[in-house]
Amino acid sequence: MRITRRNMLRGTAGLGASLAFGRVWAATEMDLGDLRITTLSDGHLQLPESFLIGDLPRDEARAILDAAGVAAGGYEPPCNVTLLRSGEDVVLFDAGAGPGFMDSTGRLPDALAALDLSPEDVTHVVFTHGHPDHLWGAIDDFDEPLFANARHLMGRVERDYWIDPETTETIGAERQSFAAGAARRIELLRDMLETFEEGDEVLPGVLARASFGHTPGHMSFEIGGGRALIAGDAIGNAHLAFARPDWPMPADQDPELAARTRLALLQELAERGVPLIGFHLPDGGVGRVEKGDKGYSFVPEV
Ligand SMILES: [Zn+2]
């Protein structure tokens, strides 16, 4: 185990922490043969409504959101980090937002603790993409890797995008902090970060699938020979993305490409009937896709 400043401090703070009452964490669990999948809450985002609606036809979008119970004004999607346990492997898909992104995020260490797991127990961190709510939690508030014993894996196209100095210039004003933040955290991970390509079996039972558009190198993962799909943000919410998957969503960096990716995934998942795990989907993020007369719907698996 790597000794880090955080570990040393935690050692001295341990007594106080052990006296505190633990919070019981709602987790959604699914067994796929000898693989166990648990979704853990990192908290939720607090976003303006414009993040959802942007330039979309407002009345139509608002009607879909009203029907889904999403109040006007703000948007607070959940953040579900997926934990996969298989043999000795303790694998996280994404690392949450960590300290210092939003007050309402960064709960992943508590969620792990509720399962009697510590960050040191994690053997692999596999990233869907490099946005703050997925990557920043890999680095602790001492600028050290939180999952000190883990191999970290990111799609090569995605890694190359975030370490490219030009990304800060091209990403647009509203996401400039994303670019600087990702580059800094990838630099802090240094030789702990490995890359993979689409089609690679990144771990036994984990196959990488390109799902570009939300970010330039966004990856999804087929689990257990296609028995579930970890979609990350390729299907980013349970309302607009399902009702009107063809719409270019403001949350996506390449809205047109992301819409094509989303539509293809929804069609395929509805046909295959396999569970989908989405980072910002409700009720723990696990559910199935149903095709309706118009668009699709998300059926939580609870
Ligand atoms: Zn996200």
Side-chain angles (χ1 to χ4, degrees), residues 273-288:
V274 300
L276 154 76
I277 305 165
F279 196 86
H280 298 299
L281 297 181
D283 300 313
V286 185
R288 287 175 204 267

Side-chain angles (χ1 to χ4, degrees), residues 120-163:
E120 288 79 13
D121 295 327
V122 174
T123 59
H124 303 79
V125 181
V126 182
F127 296 103
T128 59
H129 65 296
H131 278 168
D133 48 327
H134 301 256
L135 168 64
W136 289 15
I139 299 296
D140 68 14
D141 39 11
F142 300 104
D143 276 354
E144 293 183 85
L146 175 64
F147 306 100
N149 302 315
R151 290 172 60 198
H152 293 63
L153 300 120
M154 184 181 280
R156 183 189 51 81
V157 174
E158 184 73 3
R159 195 275 318 258
D160 288 354
Y161 172 73
W162 293 112
I163 63 173

Side-chain angles (χ1 to χ4, degrees), residues 73-98:
Y75 176 48
E76 301 197 338
C79 298
N80 310 300
V81 173
T82 302
L83 170 72
L84 181 148
R85 283 173 287 180
S86 166
E88 301 288 293
D89 290 344
V90 178
V91 185
L92 287 178
F93 291 86
D94 294 325

Side-chain angles (χ1 to χ4, degrees), residues 97-200:
F101 179 55
M102 290 181 180
D103 292 345
S104 55
T105 54
R107 309 290 195 268
L108 176 62
D110 296 333
L112 283 168
L115 294 177
D116 280 332
L117 290 170
S118 76
E120 288 79 13
D121 295 327
V122 174
T123 59
H124 303 79
V125 181
V126 182
F127 296 103
T128 59
H129 65 296
H131 278 168
D133 48 327
H134 301 256
L135 168 64
W136 289 15
I139 299 296
D140 68 14
D141 39 11
F142 300 104
D143 276 354
E144 293 183 85
L146 175 64
F147 306 100
N149 302 315
R151 290 172 60 198
H152 293 63
L153 300 120
M154 184 181 280
R156 183 189 51 81
V157 174
E158 184 73 3
R159 195 275 318 258
D160 288 354
Y161 172 73
W162 293 112
I163 63 173
D164 183 347
E166 276 190 17
T167 295
T168 318
E169 314 297 320
T170 56
I171 196 168
E174 74 279 10
R175 289 192 177 96
Q176 230 145 36
S177 65
F178 290 14
R184 194 170 81 78
R185 283 162 181 87
I186 289 170
E187 167 60 22
L188 288 167
L189 288 171
R190 288 199 188 86
D191 52 358
M192 294 175 81
L193 184 67
E194 305 162 36
T195 60
F196 58 86
E197 305 287 340
E198 71 171 290
D200 282 356

